[in-house]
PDB file of all heavy atoms in Angstrom:
ATOM      1  N   ALA S 289     -46.526   6.912  14.074  1.00  0.00           N
ATOM      2  CA  ALA S 289     -47.192   8.175  14.315  1.00  0.00           C
ATOM      3  C   ALA S 289     -48.556   8.214  13.618  1.00  0.00           C
ATOM      4  O   ALA S 289     -49.411   9.044  13.952  1.00  0.00           O
ATOM      5  CB  ALA S 289     -46.349   9.356  13.906  1.00  0.00           C
ATOM      6  N   HIS S 372     -46.538  17.861  14.873  1.00  0.00           N
ATOM      7  CA  HIS S 372     -46.920  16.475  14.736  1.00  0.00           C
ATOM      8  C   HIS S 372     -45.899  15.801  13.791  1.00  0.00           C
ATOM      9  O   HIS S 372     -45.492  16.437  12.807  1.00  0.00           O
ATOM     10  CB  HIS S 372     -48.301  16.355  14.180  1.00  0.00           C
ATOM     11  CG  HIS S 372     -48.878  14.968  14.282  1.00  0.00           C
ATOM     12  ND1 HIS S 372     -48.534  13.954  13.376  1.00  0.00           N
ATOM     13  CD2 HIS S 372     -49.720  14.379  15.164  1.00  0.00           C
ATOM     14  CE1 HIS S 372     -49.134  12.852  13.694  1.00  0.00           C
ATOM     15  NE2 HIS S 372     -49.893  13.046  14.790  1.00  0.00           N
ATOM     16  N   PRO S 373     -45.535  14.558  14.040  1.00  0.00           N
ATOM     17  CA  PRO S 373     -44.481  13.900  13.185  1.00  0.00           C
ATOM     18  C   PRO S 373     -44.821  13.834  11.711  1.00  0.00           C
ATOM     19  O   PRO S 373     -43.937  13.845  10.863  1.00  0.00           O
ATOM     20  CB  PRO S 373     -44.391  12.503  13.792  1.00  0.00           C
ATOM     21  CG  PRO S 373     -44.852  12.650  15.178  1.00  0.00           C
ATOM     22  CD  PRO S 373     -45.899  13.745  15.187  1.00  0.00           C
ATOM     23  N   MET S 399     -44.982  16.157  19.587  1.00  0.00           N
ATOM     24  CA  MET S 399     -46.313  15.792  20.081  1.00  0.00           C
ATOM     25  C   MET S 399     -46.305  15.332  21.531  1.00  0.00           C
ATOM     26  O   MET S 399     -47.148  15.755  22.318  1.00  0.00           O
ATOM     27  CB  MET S 399     -46.860  14.682  19.163  1.00  0.00           C
ATOM     28  CG  MET S 399     -48.260  14.192  19.523  1.00  0.00           C
ATOM     29  SD  MET S 399     -48.917  13.053  18.302  1.00  0.00           S
ATOM     30  CE  MET S 399     -47.678  11.759  18.340  1.00  0.00           C
ATOM     31  N   ASP S 400     -45.366  14.461  21.884  1.00  0.00           N
ATOM     32  CA  ASP S 400     -45.357  13.938  23.241  1.00  0.00           C
ATOM     33  C   ASP S 400     -45.091  15.033  24.265  1.00  0.00           C
ATOM     34  O   ASP S 400     -45.617  14.990  25.400  1.00  0.00           O
ATOM     35  CB  ASP S 400     -44.316  12.862  23.399  1.00  0.00           C
ATOM     36  CG  ASP S 400     -44.646  11.618  22.597  1.00  0.00           C
ATOM     37  OD1 ASP S 400     -45.853  11.398  22.354  1.00  0.00           O
ATOM     38  OD2 ASP S 400     -43.722  10.840  22.217  1.00  0.00           O
ATOM     39  N   ILE S 402     -45.789  18.386  23.870  1.00  0.00           N
ATOM     40  CA  ILE S 402     -46.745  19.488  23.860  1.00  0.00           C
ATOM     41  C   ILE S 402     -48.140  19.019  24.278  1.00  0.00           C
ATOM     42  O   ILE S 402     -48.924  19.839  24.827  1.00  0.00           O
ATOM     43  CB  ILE S 402     -46.806  20.135  22.445  1.00  0.00           C
ATOM     44  CG1 ILE S 402     -47.514  21.535  22.524  1.00  0.00           C
ATOM     45  CG2 ILE S 402     -47.534  19.267  21.481  1.00  0.00           C
ATOM     46  CD1 ILE S 402     -46.726  22.556  23.302  1.00  0.00           C
ATOM     47  N   ASN S 403     -48.482  17.778  24.095  1.00  0.00           N
ATOM     48  CA  ASN S 403     -49.858  17.354  24.382  1.00  0.00           C
ATOM     49  C   ASN S 403     -50.289  17.634  25.818  1.00  0.00           C
ATOM     50  O   ASN S 403     -51.465  18.074  26.034  1.00  0.00           O
ATOM     51  CB  ASN S 403     -50.035  15.850  24.063  1.00  0.00           C
ATOM     52  CG  ASN S 403     -50.558  15.660  22.634  1.00  0.00           C
ATOM     53  OD1 ASN S 403     -51.017  16.620  21.991  1.00  0.00           O
ATOM     54  ND2 ASN S 403     -50.498  14.444  22.127  1.00  0.00           N
ATOM     55  N   PHE S 406     -51.767  21.334  26.337  1.00  0.00           N
ATOM     56  CA  PHE S 406     -52.974  21.883  25.726  1.00  0.00           C
ATOM     57  C   PHE S 406     -54.028  22.216  26.775  1.00  0.00           C
ATOM     58  O   PHE S 406     -54.787  23.200  26.663  1.00  0.00           O
ATOM     59  CB  PHE S 406     -53.557  20.896  24.705  1.00  0.00           C
ATOM     60  CG  PHE S 406     -52.920  21.019  23.346  1.00  0.00           C
ATOM     61  CD1 PHE S 406     -52.051  20.032  22.918  1.00  0.00           C
ATOM     62  CD2 PHE S 406     -53.185  22.087  22.530  1.00  0.00           C
ATOM     63  CE1 PHE S 406     -51.437  20.103  21.653  1.00  0.00           C
ATOM     64  CE2 PHE S 406     -52.620  22.188  21.254  1.00  0.00           C
ATOM     65  CZ  PHE S 406     -51.710  21.193  20.827  1.00  0.00           C
ATOM     66  N   ASN S 418     -55.123  19.361   9.653  1.00  0.00           N
ATOM     67  CA  ASN S 418     -56.439  18.704   9.612  1.00  0.00           C
ATOM     68  C   ASN S 418     -56.439  17.371  10.284  1.00  0.00           C
ATOM     69  O   ASN S 418     -56.820  17.262  11.471  1.00  0.00           O
ATOM     70  CB  ASN S 418     -56.891  18.575   8.140  1.00  0.00           C
ATOM     71  CG  ASN S 418     -58.375  18.313   8.007  1.00  0.00           C
ATOM     72  OD1 ASN S 418     -58.973  17.664   8.840  1.00  0.00           O
ATOM     73  ND2 ASN S 418     -58.985  18.860   6.978  1.00  0.00           N
ATOM     74  N   ASP S 419     -56.010  16.286   9.635  1.00  0.00           N
ATOM     75  CA  ASP S 419     -56.080  14.965  10.170  1.00  0.00           C
ATOM     76  C   ASP S 419     -55.353  14.821  11.502  1.00  0.00           C
ATOM     77  O   ASP S 419     -55.802  14.044  12.362  1.00  0.00           O
ATOM     78  CB  ASP S 419     -55.526  13.968   9.162  1.00  0.00           C
ATOM     79  CG  ASP S 419     -56.337  13.885   7.916  1.00  0.00           C
ATOM     80  OD1 ASP S 419     -57.582  14.128   7.987  1.00  0.00           O
ATOM     81  OD2 ASP S 419     -55.779  13.644   6.850  1.00  0.00           O
ATOM     82  N   VAL S 420     -54.234  15.511  11.686  1.00  0.00           N
ATOM     83  CA  VAL S 420     -53.440  15.358  12.902  1.00  0.00           C
ATOM     84  C   VAL S 420     -54.088  16.002  14.121  1.00  0.00           C
ATOM     85  O   VAL S 420     -53.538  15.890  15.227  1.00  0.00           O
ATOM     86  CB  VAL S 420     -52.016  15.932  12.699  1.00  0.00           C
ATOM     87  CG1 VAL S 420     -51.313  15.182  11.605  1.00  0.00           C
ATOM     88  CG2 VAL S 420     -52.058  17.453  12.424  1.00  0.00           C
ATOM     89  N   THR S 421     -55.242  16.657  13.930  1.00  0.00           N
ATOM     90  CA  THR S 421     -55.964  17.270  15.068  1.00  0.00           C
ATOM     91  C   THR S 421     -57.367  16.667  15.242  1.00  0.00           C
ATOM     92  O   THR S 421     -58.144  17.157  16.027  1.00  0.00           O
ATOM     93  CB  THR S 421     -56.122  18.778  14.869  1.00  0.00           C
ATOM     94  OG1 THR S 421     -56.937  19.024  13.730  1.00  0.00           O
ATOM     95  CG2 THR S 421     -54.747  19.474  14.653  1.00  0.00           C
ATOM     96  N   ASN S 422     -57.688  15.643  14.484  1.00  0.00           N
ATOM     97  CA  ASN S 422     -59.030  15.124  14.437  1.00  0.00           C
ATOM     98  C   ASN S 422     -59.321  14.190  15.597  1.00  0.00           C
ATOM     99  O   ASN S 422     -58.733  13.101  15.735  1.00  0.00           O
ATOM    100  CB  ASN S 422     -59.261  14.351  13.137  1.00  0.00           C
ATOM    101  CG  ASN S 422     -60.730  14.058  12.850  1.00  0.00           C
ATOM    102  OD1 ASN S 422     -61.567  14.170  13.736  1.00  0.00           O
ATOM    103  ND2 ASN S 422     -61.019  13.715  11.610  1.00  0.00           N
ATOM    104  N   PRO S 423     -60.204  14.580  16.517  1.00  0.00           N
ATOM    105  CA  PRO S 423     -60.541  13.725  17.670  1.00  0.00           C
ATOM    106  C   PRO S 423     -61.139  12.355  17.293  1.00  0.00           C
ATOM    107  O   PRO S 423     -61.171  11.474  18.139  1.00  0.00           O
ATOM    108  CB  PRO S 423     -61.580  14.571  18.457  1.00  0.00           C
ATOM    109  CG  PRO S 423     -61.359  15.958  18.020  1.00  0.00           C
ATOM    110  CD  PRO S 423     -60.924  15.876  16.575  1.00  0.00           C
ATOM    111  N   ALA S 424     -61.591  12.204  16.056  1.00  0.00           N
ATOM    112  CA  ALA S 424     -62.129  10.938  15.596  1.00  0.00           C
ATOM    113  C   ALA S 424     -61.083   9.815  15.700  1.00  0.00           C
ATOM    114  O   ALA S 424     -61.452   8.644  15.730  1.00  0.00           O
ATOM    115  CB  ALA S 424     -62.632  11.053  14.168  1.00  0.00           C
ATOM    116  N   ALA S 425     -59.814  10.172  15.766  1.00  0.00           N
ATOM    117  CA  ALA S 425     -58.760   9.195  15.848  1.00  0.00           C
ATOM    118  C   ALA S 425     -58.844   8.390  17.168  1.00  0.00           C
ATOM    119  O   ALA S 425     -58.351   7.273  17.231  1.00  0.00           O
ATOM    120  CB  ALA S 425     -57.388   9.880  15.762  1.00  0.00           C
ATOM    121  N   ARG S 426     -59.499   8.968  18.167  1.00  0.00           N
ATOM    122  CA  ARG S 426     -59.617   8.258  19.458  1.00  0.00           C
ATOM    123  C   ARG S 426     -60.767   7.219  19.404  1.00  0.00           C
ATOM    124  O   ARG S 426     -60.968   6.507  20.380  1.00  0.00           O
ATOM    125  CB  ARG S 426     -59.914   9.297  20.560  1.00  0.00           C
ATOM    126  CG  ARG S 426     -58.833  10.356  20.686  1.00  0.00           C
ATOM    127  CD  ARG S 426     -59.036  11.150  21.965  1.00  0.00           C
ATOM    128  NE  ARG S 426     -58.161  12.323  22.001  1.00  0.00           N
ATOM    129  CZ  ARG S 426     -58.605  13.590  21.932  1.00  0.00           C
ATOM    130  NH1 ARG S 426     -59.905  13.806  21.826  1.00  0.00           N
ATOM    131  NH2 ARG S 426     -57.770  14.594  21.963  1.00  0.00           N
ATOM    132  N   VAL S 432     -58.730   7.304  10.435  1.00  0.00           N
ATOM    133  CA  VAL S 432     -57.614   7.752  11.302  1.00  0.00           C
ATOM    134  C   VAL S 432     -57.664   7.122  12.652  1.00  0.00           C
ATOM    135  O   VAL S 432     -56.951   7.571  13.579  1.00  0.00           O
ATOM    136  CB  VAL S 432     -57.648   9.301  11.423  1.00  0.00           C
ATOM    137  CG1 VAL S 432     -57.358   9.966  10.090  1.00  0.00           C
ATOM    138  CG2 VAL S 432     -58.971   9.798  11.990  1.00  0.00           C
ATOM    139  N   SER S 433     -58.485   6.103  12.856  1.00  0.00           N
ATOM    140  CA  SER S 433     -58.598   5.463  14.169  1.00  0.00           C
ATOM    141  C   SER S 433     -57.235   4.981  14.722  1.00  0.00           C
ATOM    142  O   SER S 433     -56.485   4.335  13.958  1.00  0.00           O
ATOM    143  CB  SER S 433     -59.517   4.236  14.068  1.00  0.00           C
ATOM    144  OG  SER S 433     -60.865   4.631  13.769  1.00  0.00           O
ATOM    145  N   GLY S 434     -56.965   5.343  15.929  1.00  0.00           N
ATOM    146  CA  GLY S 434     -55.713   4.940  16.566  1.00  0.00           C
ATOM    147  C   GLY S 434     -54.533   5.804  16.249  1.00  0.00           C
ATOM    148  O   GLY S 434     -53.467   5.622  16.835  1.00  0.00           O
ATOM    149  N   MET S 435     -54.677   6.717  15.318  1.00  0.00           N
ATOM    150  CA  MET S 435     -53.563   7.578  14.980  1.00  0.00           C
ATOM    151  C   MET S 435     -53.276   8.575  16.122  1.00  0.00           C
ATOM    152  O   MET S 435     -54.201   9.273  16.589  1.00  0.00           O
ATOM    153  CB  MET S 435     -53.871   8.360  13.710  1.00  0.00           C
ATOM    154  CG  MET S 435     -52.871   9.418  13.330  1.00  0.00           C
ATOM    155  SD  MET S 435     -53.399  10.264  11.777  1.00  0.00           S
ATOM    156  CE  MET S 435     -52.198  11.593  11.706  1.00  0.00           C
ATOM    157  N   PRO S 436     -52.064   8.643  16.587  1.00  0.00           N
ATOM    158  CA  PRO S 436     -51.737   9.654  17.650  1.00  0.00           C
ATOM    159  C   PRO S 436     -51.979  11.059  17.084  1.00  0.00           C
ATOM    160  O   PRO S 436     -51.543  11.374  16.004  1.00  0.00           O
ATOM    161  CB  PRO S 436     -50.275   9.396  17.953  1.00  0.00           C
ATOM    162  CG  PRO S 436     -50.003   7.995  17.489  1.00  0.00           C
ATOM    163  CD  PRO S 436     -50.886   7.798  16.311  1.00  0.00           C
ATOM    164  N   ILE S 437     -52.713  11.872  17.882  1.00  0.00           N
ATOM    165  CA  ILE S 437     -53.028  13.221  17.401  1.00  0.00           C
ATOM    166  C   ILE S 437     -52.616  14.248  18.415  1.00  0.00           C
ATOM    167  O   ILE S 437     -52.294  13.914  19.567  1.00  0.00           O
ATOM    168  CB  ILE S 437     -54.583  13.369  17.142  1.00  0.00           C
ATOM    169  CG1 ILE S 437     -55.353  13.151  18.446  1.00  0.00           C
ATOM    170  CG2 ILE S 437     -55.012  12.458  16.010  1.00  0.00           C
ATOM    171  CD1 ILE S 437     -56.819  13.521  18.339  1.00  0.00           C
ATOM    172  N   LEU S 438     -52.597  15.496  17.990  1.00  0.00           N
ATOM    173  CA  LEU S 438     -52.399  16.615  18.919  1.00  0.00           C
ATOM    174  C   LEU S 438     -53.697  16.863  19.657  1.00  0.00           C
ATOM    175  O   LEU S 438     -54.741  16.996  19.058  1.00  0.00           O
ATOM    176  CB  LEU S 438     -51.941  17.840  18.113  1.00  0.00           C
ATOM    177  CG  LEU S 438     -50.539  17.688  17.460  1.00  0.00           C
ATOM    178  CD1 LEU S 438     -50.354  18.800  16.448  1.00  0.00           C
ATOM    179  CD2 LEU S 438     -49.439  17.726  18.487  1.00  0.00           C
ATOM    180  N   ASP S 439     -53.628  16.987  20.979  1.00  0.00           N
ATOM    181  CA  ASP S 439     -54.838  17.124  21.787  1.00  0.00           C
ATOM    182  C   ASP S 439     -55.368  18.570  21.780  1.00  0.00           C
ATOM    183  O   ASP S 439     -55.583  19.157  22.835  1.00  0.00           O
ATOM    184  CB  ASP S 439     -54.549  16.669  23.187  1.00  0.00           C
ATOM    185  CG  ASP S 439     -54.221  15.204  23.279  1.00  0.00           C
ATOM    186  OD1 ASP S 439     -54.709  14.444  22.424  1.00  0.00           O
ATOM    187  OD2 ASP S 439     -53.480  14.807  24.226  1.00  0.00           O
ATOM    188  N   VAL S 440     -55.617  19.096  20.592  1.00  0.00           N
ATOM    189  CA  VAL S 440     -56.062  20.491  20.450  1.00  0.00           C
ATOM    190  C   VAL S 440     -57.365  20.720  21.137  1.00  0.00           C
ATOM    191  O   VAL S 440     -57.614  21.762  21.722  1.00  0.00           O
ATOM    192  CB  VAL S 440     -56.155  20.819  18.945  1.00  0.00           C
ATOM    193  CG1 VAL S 440     -56.769  22.181  18.750  1.00  0.00           C
ATOM    194  CG2 VAL S 440     -54.801  20.744  18.285  1.00  0.00           C
ATOM    195  N   ASP S 441     -58.290  19.724  21.133  1.00  0.00           N
ATOM    196  CA  ASP S 441     -59.621  19.918  21.670  1.00  0.00           C
ATOM    197  C   ASP S 441     -59.608  20.069  23.183  1.00  0.00           C
ATOM    198  O   ASP S 441     -60.657  20.370  23.756  1.00  0.00           O
ATOM    199  CB  ASP S 441     -60.533  18.750  21.265  1.00  0.00           C
ATOM    200  CG  ASP S 441     -59.987  17.407  21.680  1.00  0.00           C
ATOM    201  OD1 ASP S 441     -58.733  17.242  21.796  1.00  0.00           O
ATOM    202  OD2 ASP S 441     -60.771  16.480  21.911  1.00  0.00           O
ATOM    203  N   ARG S 442     -58.467  19.906  23.830  1.00  0.00           N
ATOM    204  CA  ARG S 442     -58.413  20.057  25.288  1.00  0.00           C
ATOM    205  C   ARG S 442     -58.004  21.488  25.687  1.00  0.00           C
ATOM    206  O   ARG S 442     -57.979  21.786  26.877  1.00  0.00           O
ATOM    207  CB  ARG S 442     -57.432  19.028  25.863  1.00  0.00           C
ATOM    208  CG  ARG S 442     -57.990  17.644  25.743  1.00  0.00           C
ATOM    209  CD  ARG S 442     -57.087  16.534  26.158  1.00  0.00           C
ATOM    210  NE  ARG S 442     -57.753  15.241  25.951  1.00  0.00           N
ATOM    211  CZ  ARG S 442     -57.165  14.083  25.894  1.00  0.00           C
ATOM    212  NH1 ARG S 442     -55.835  14.008  26.045  1.00  0.00           N
ATOM    213  NH2 ARG S 442     -57.851  12.958  25.743  1.00  0.00           N
ATOM    214  N   ASN S 462     -63.456  16.451  10.011  1.00  0.00           N
ATOM    215  CA  ASN S 462     -62.731  16.659  11.247  1.00  0.00           C
ATOM    216  C   ASN S 462     -63.684  17.122  12.336  1.00  0.00           C
ATOM    217  O   ASN S 462     -64.296  18.197  12.233  1.00  0.00           O
ATOM    218  CB  ASN S 462     -61.640  17.763  11.021  1.00  0.00           C
ATOM    219  CG  ASN S 462     -60.692  17.853  12.202  1.00  0.00           C
ATOM    220  OD1 ASN S 462     -61.020  17.477  13.335  1.00  0.00           O
ATOM    221  ND2 ASN S 462     -59.502  18.369  11.937  1.00  0.00           N
TER     222      ASN S 462
END
Side-chain angles (χ1 to χ4, degrees):
H372 192 280
M399 181 172 59
D400 293 335
I402 197 66
N403 267 348
F406 277 107
N418 198 325
D419 296 329
V420 298
T421 65
N422 194 344
R426 303 191 190 111
V432 294
S433 293
M435 174 180 170
I437 61 169
L438 294 165
D439 295 333
V440 174
D441 57 332
R442 291 174 181 164
N462 190 337

